[in-house]
Amino acid sequence: MLKTKKTLKITAEVPGVDEKNLTVKVVNGNLQIKGEKRENQEDKSGSYHLTERRYGYFERTFSLPEGVDRDKIQARFSKGVLTVNLPKKPEAMKPEKIINIELD
C-alpha cells in the first residue's frame, strides 16, 4: 500500500485474469478484491490430443483506515495490474494541529 498526502494506493498484479472475472468492493468497512483465472489449452498436433485446464481463485481483504472517502474509491485494470485509489476525506488531509495544554 502506497500512502501519499491525498490518497492511498493498492496495486495488485493479476496476470492472466480477465477483467470480467475481477471484482473490487467495500464490505463492512473492508476493501475486498476477488479474482478468478481460467485457462484452457488444447493441442491436437501429431498423433495425440492434449487438453489442459487451469483454474485459480483468490480473495484479498484490506481494512479501510479512517479518513478514506469510500464514495470516491476508484479501480483501474491495465495489462494484468489492478490499481485501487483510495482518496482521503478533506478533513483527513489537514496538517497536524498542536493542542495547547492547560495547567491547573
Side-chain angles (χ1 to χ4, degrees), residues 13 30 34 43 47 53 69 79 82 88 90-91:
E13 293 181 19
N30 296 311
K34 288 183 180 181
D43 184 3
S47 61
R53 292 186 179 102
D69 192 344
K79 298 180 182 176
L82 174 69
K88 295 178 183 177
E91 57 269 17

Side-chain angles (χ1 to χ4, degrees), residues 30-86:
N30 296 311
L31 180 74
Q32 186 180 72
I33 299 172
K34 288 183 180 181
E36 185 176 6
K37 180 179 180 178
R38 292 183 180 201
E39 186 177 345
N40 293 322
Q41 284 184 322
E42 197 167 333
D43 184 3
K44 295 181 181 180
S45 63
S47 61
Y48 62 91
H49 182 119
L50 174 68
T51 301
E52 287 187 61
R53 292 186 179 102
R54 295 182 193 153
Y55 172 82
Y57 173 82
F58 69 91
E59 180 178 329
R60 191 76 197 266
T61 303
F62 302 89
S63 295
L64 287 176
E66 287 294 320
V68 169
D69 192 344
R70 296 171 187 192
D71 295 327
K72 295 185 179 176
I73 295 173
Q74 295 177 327
R76 172 177 231 91
F77 185 63
S78 177
K79 298 180 182 176
V81 178
L82 174 69
T83 303
V84 182
N85 288 311
L86 308 151

Side-chain angles (χ1 to χ4, degrees), residues 5 90-98:
K5 215 175 211 186
E91 57 269 17
M93 291 186 276
K94 292 182 180 178
E96 58 185 58
K97 177 183 173 185
I98 297 175

